[in-house]
Amino acid sequence: MRRSEEFSQLIWVALFLMGFAHQPFLARGGSQAFIGTYGINYGRIADNIPSPDEVVTLLRAAKIRNVRIYDFNHSVLQAFSGTGLNLVVGLPNGNLNDMNASQDHAMTWVKENVQAFLPQTRIRGIAIGNEVLGGSDMELWTVLLGAAKNIYNAVKELKLDDVVQITTAHSQAVFVNSYPPSSCKFSSNIAQYMKPLLEFFQEVGSPFCLNAYPFLAYMGDPSNIDINYALFQPTQGIYDQKTNLHYDNMLDAQIDATYAALEDAGYKKMEVIVTETGWASRGDSNEAAANVSNARTYNYNLRKRLAKRKGTPMRPKNIVKAYIFALFNEDSKPGPTSERNFGLFKADGSIAYNIGFHGLQSSSATVRIRLKLSRLTARG
């Protein structure tokens, strides 16, 4: 009895210190993968980042409730069990052919990697591939929809469709004429794959997921883009004559360009969610904009902008929601130096720069409580 009382007291202390507010398992009547406005991408292409259990401690101390991963690693899914954090798991591009080819394989995958962890792990979404359309592997363009349908059918058959949302994230390579925002359309070579996908997502109530990077846009044309416009800093912005709308930051313009493309394709009511956005804190010699000052400015101002819970000029009632890229610097990622330096946190769990979060090193009390809870749970 004493052990039970001690365990209860520890639970309440932990909840208070970690800022955790438990939410019940979603009732039937519509899945929603994203709660609130702020989330983060937990990439793991690194050999030096904290363990999944430490990551959970970090996220809860930072009160970040929405998390996306790019695979379905069971150690991560187990670490998130009982935490109350909302998780979107990824079906990697390498699995798309198999999921498209076999409904049975899709059912097995959902049972083993989603259903088996519910409801303790709050899996709220499955991201089917990442940036497939517009990517270099055109074979995947042809199987994306089939894979999404087979995964959704498995989710539905298991009666999880009101809990788990099916999505896929797109890069801006799917668009043409994105400036000004109102002129944006889907590329003609992509439209034949995009429109059936949009039709399916409209039927099942899924949003359009966009990976939007003012950082990349600025890097591509620094002589013609005001960096203050990309960083949410005071600037004259741009004016869209067709819609008579003014934009004071690039992210809003990128989102509204997406809404314009959706409207042009016939999907005016579909919501846009930003599934990746961020700014690199370090880069190569030809990546001068990738520095700590700009990364801090972008991510600090982005956090403030999301906290306002407001929409964009074109869709003022659609509150902007965004997953930040990324939780950690990932030392094993290929490509330019900037690719390995998008993290809000360094590999040791300390902050990369200060935007109001605290690293693992300043959360020792929380860590001790979590470890003590783990020991009590293990003893029964």
Side-chain angles (χ1 to χ4, degrees), residues 274-337:
V274 177
T275 36
E276 288 183 20
T277 190
W279 199 286
S281 61
R282 185 173 170 231
D284 294 320
S285 58
N286 64 339
E287 298 178 300
N291 59 61
V292 170
S293 177
N294 287 342
R296 182 193 300 114
T297 299
Y298 183 82
N299 281 295
Y300 178 76
N301 287 337
L302 172 63
R303 192 179 176 199
K304 286 200 307 181
R305 189 258 178 269
L306 295 174
K308 293 178 181 178
R309 301 181 62 86
K310 69 175 187 176
T312 59
M314 191 179 290
R315 294 287 189 275
K317 294 183 180 180
N318 289 12
I319 296 172
V320 174
K321 304 173 182 177
Y323 290 92
I324 311 311
F325 188 85
L327 187 58
F328 297 111
N329 291 332
E330 298 174 75
D331 69 337
S332 299
K333 292 192 74 173
T337 297

Side-chain angles (χ1 to χ4, degrees), residues 29-33 124 152 161-162 164-167 197-209 269-271 273:
S31 59
Q32 186 180 11
R124 290 294 176 258
Y152 175 77
D161 53 308
D162 285 337
V164 179
Q165 190 177 69
I166 307 300
T167 63
L197 189 67
L198 293 176
E199 182 66 27
F200 168 65
F201 281 147
Q202 179 171 266
E203 290 174 1
V204 302
S206 295
F208 186 95
C209 293
K269 295 183 179 180
M270 185 171 287
E271 180 186 17
I273 290 178

Side-chain angles (χ1 to χ4, degrees), residues 171-173 175 178-179 210-231 238 249-255 257 276-280 286-287 289-290 298 338-339 342:
S171 75
Q172 292 180 291
F175 304 124
S178 59
Y179 179 84
L210 173 70
N211 293 345
Y213 285 94
F215 168 74
L216 295 178
Y218 174 78
M219 291 278 289
D221 193 10
S223 60
N224 291 313
I225 296 175
D226 179 1
I227 194 168
N228 291 320
Y229 178 61
L231 293 173
I238 69 165
N249 72 83
M250 186 183 290
L251 183 65
D252 278 7
Q254 291 177 332
I255 295 170
E276 288 183 20
T277 190
W279 199 286
N286 64 339
E287 298 178 300
Y298 183 82
S338 58
E339 280 293 310
F342 273 88

